[in-house]
Amino acid sequence: MARNQVHNEIKSLIAQNGLTLTEVVNRMNQQRNSDQQTTVQNISNKLSRGTIKFSEVLEIATAIGLKISWDKI
């Protein structure tokens, strides 16, 4: 997936679930230690640049009530 596709897919899933990126980041931070907090700007930049870690994508999925699965094609 190209970086714009990842960005668009994640932003779309957030919106489809009636949330904003701010709400998602707040949920992520509730599960993180105080020294590992992130910001909306940080996640937004990573999405735009295509440098977001898979572990962060998993956190986002959990925050919006989804899970990622790998299905054989």
Side-chain angles (χ1 to χ4, degrees):
M1 229 183 231
R3 75 175 161 204
N4 283 345
Q5 285 178 302
V6 171
H7 176 267
N8 292 340
E9 182 75 18
I10 290 174
K11 295 287 271 187
S12 175
L13 287 167
I14 290 170
Q16 286 174 21
N17 284 278
L19 298 168
T20 64
L21 186 57
T22 300
E23 292 168 315
V24 171
V25 170
N26 288 339
R27 290 179 182 191
M28 290 170 64
N29 284 333
Q30 289 175 354
Q31 303 302 315
R32 291 177 168 210
N33 294 327
S34 59
D35 63 330
Q36 296 176 326
Q37 301 287 296
T38 190
T39 64
V40 173
Q41 188 66 43
N42 184 40
I43 296 299
S44 183
N45 287 343
K46 287 181 179 186
L47 286 169
S48 294
R49 290 191 308 261
T51 58
I52 193 160
K53 296 177 186 173
F54 185 67
S55 61
E56 292 168 321
V57 172
L58 290 173
E59 280 185 88
I60 291 169
T62 299
I64 60 178
L66 300 174
K67 70 176 183 173
I68 296 173
S69 64
W70 297 75
D71 299 317
K72 193 167 185 130
I73 56 173

